[in-house]
Amino acid sequence: MKFQVSAKDKKTLCKQAPEFREVVRRIELDGFECNGDLFHALVQSIISQQLSIKAADTIYNRVEQLLGTITAENLKSAAVEDLRACGLSARKIEYLRGIADAVLSGRINFDALARLPDEEIMKELVKLKGVGEWTAEMLLIFALGRPDVLSFKDLGIRRGIMLLNKLEELTEEDFEVYRKRYSPYGTLASLYLWRIKDGGLSVK
């Protein structure tokens, strides 16, 4: 599954939020491949917490090699010592086993969850230990390709809005104004805002 970035969506975003016009003109954005599997995306997200991409990939590959296939059953049955040997902390093992328990007990069904509206997905995901709002919002974007996600919890998004609009500060109330202005293209706006924050554009 791919998140598509269309010329029409860019044009409409610029019409709703003219501050993006120069950004859209100067930054080329393509779509991206979505994981599409909430369970595996969440496991990867937990493993990646507070790690570099390289370190997270190494640990994930070790876990995958240990389990053969990463499933709730395999996670639950794996010995703690073996998971620790992969490089996982005790806390992350607790989180992963908690997710496995939720699946095996039927408290959560990721396939069914993926078909729900964003707000309902968020509500269920944050019930899982180790999953906060930011993690849930990133899963909406990069696992499910949801089109209207703008995360207040993401420092890069807030920094991008401040740079784009020449703001000294950004309250949550002010952020909501921008969220509504960018909707229903919040994810597209997020992609541009991350590029601004990362130095992809010097906003005049």
Side-chain angles (χ1 to χ4, degrees), residues 20 56-57 60 64 90 99 101 114 118 151 179 192 200 204:
F20 276 102
D57 285 346
Y60 181 84
E64 193 170 41
I99 294 166
D101 280 334
D118 294 359
S151 175
R179 188 200 302 275
Y192 280 118
K204 295 180 181 179

Side-chain angles (χ1 to χ4, degrees), residues 20-87:
F20 276 102
R21 287 174 181 166
E22 182 184 358
V23 179
V24 170
R25 181 178 64 83
R26 294 177 58 186
I27 294 180
E28 183 60 36
L29 271 187
D30 296 318
F32 57 85
E33 291 296 331
C34 303
N35 182 300
D37 186 322
L38 264 182
F39 173 76
H40 282 92
L42 182 53
V43 169
Q44 287 182 307
S45 180
I46 295 296
I47 291 173
S48 299
Q49 288 176 358
Q50 298 179 320
L51 293 176
S52 68
I53 294 174
K54 183 178 180 180
D57 285 346
T58 297
I59 293 173
Y60 181 84
N61 289 337
R62 288 173 182 166
V63 172
E64 193 170 41
Q65 185 174 12
L66 170 69
L67 302 182
T69 302
I70 297 178
T71 64
E73 292 84 356
N74 291 345
L75 272 174
K76 184 65 185 295
S77 62
V80 171
E81 296 78 10
D82 291 338
L83 292 171
R84 287 296 298 270
C86 292

Side-chain angles (χ1 to χ4, degrees), residues 173-190:
E173 291 75 17
D174 291 337
F175 183 88
E176 286 303 312
V177 173
Y178 290 103
R179 188 200 302 275
K180 291 176 182 177
R181 182 183 299 175
Y182 302 159
S183 183
Y185 304 101
T187 297
L188 177 59
S190 295

Side-chain angles (χ1 to χ4, degrees), residues 81-99:
E81 296 78 10
D82 291 338
L83 292 171
R84 287 296 298 270
C86 292
L88 289 169
S89 67
R91 179 169 292 181
K92 288 184 180 181
I93 293 171
E94 178 188 0
Y95 294 162
L96 292 173
R97 283 174 166 261
I99 294 166

